[in-house]
Amino acid sequence: VQLQASGGGLVQAGGSLRLSCAASGRTFRNSVMAWFRQAPGKEREFIAAIFRNAGATHYADSVKGRFAISRDNAKNTLYLQMNSLKPEDTAVYYCAADFNLILSSVRTPDQYDYWGQGTLVTVSS
């Protein structure tokens, strides 16, 4: 599986961005997909995950109500709509995928087998 993240950039606080992650190489709809982020000097942090087919979603408390994860299985693409952005949202954002993940593991980076290259989001105050 290959993942290609895009859509990062510079935005003012309060603004919005939409990240995309294009997947190829395996049946996309059978995977659990997620977004993580990593700020300088910090550990990789879970943001959101979306499950196979039915699309159940899970969010970190820090982004709940501001970010929305979605997927288009026909286009093999994962999205992260980010609204009301804050300076503390500044980080490199990564998409990840796994085909065997269970619910209790969705927030753990080490449980994902496939990663995109990351896209930088910078939020200015």
Side-chain angles (χ1 to χ4, degrees):
V1 174
Q2 294 181 333
L3 303 175
Q4 181 77 29
S6 62
L10 174 64
V11 63
Q12 288 189 330
S16 299
L17 279 176
R18 188 176 82 155
L19 305 184
S20 299
C21 176
S24 62
R26 260 182 88 169
T27 305
F28 177 77
R29 68 173 61 86
N30 292 335
S31 66
V32 176
M33 302 289 294
W35 290 97
F36 289 79
R37 68 186 180 190
Q38 189 164 19
K42 295 189 176 181
E43 294 185 350
R44 195 163 292 193
E45 174 190 17
F46 169 79
I47 296 300
I50 186 166
F51 267 68
R52 309 167 185 87
N53 291 341
T57 57
H58 303 270
Y59 293 93
D61 288 344
S62 59
V63 305
K64 202 173 292 184
R66 299 189 298 124
F67 291 10
I69 189 171
S70 62
R71 65 195 296 167
D72 186 333
N73 288 335
K75 295 182 178 179
N76 286 352
T77 303
L78 174 74
Y79 301 100
L80 184 69
Q81 178 66 43
M82 303 187 295
N83 300 323
S84 302
L85 282 160
K86 306 174 181 179
E88 52 263 43
D89 294 319
T90 295
V92 177
Y93 283 70
Y94 297 91
C95 55
D98 197 88
F99 292 87
N100 300 299
L101 214 60
I102 58 175
L103 179 59
S104 60
S105 299
V106 293
R107 298 170 185 263
T108 306
D110 292 347
Q111 296 298 311
Y112 289 81
D113 287 339
Y114 304 100
W115 289 87
Q117 83 290 0
T119 184
L120 177 62
V121 172
T122 303
V123 184
S124 63
S125 56

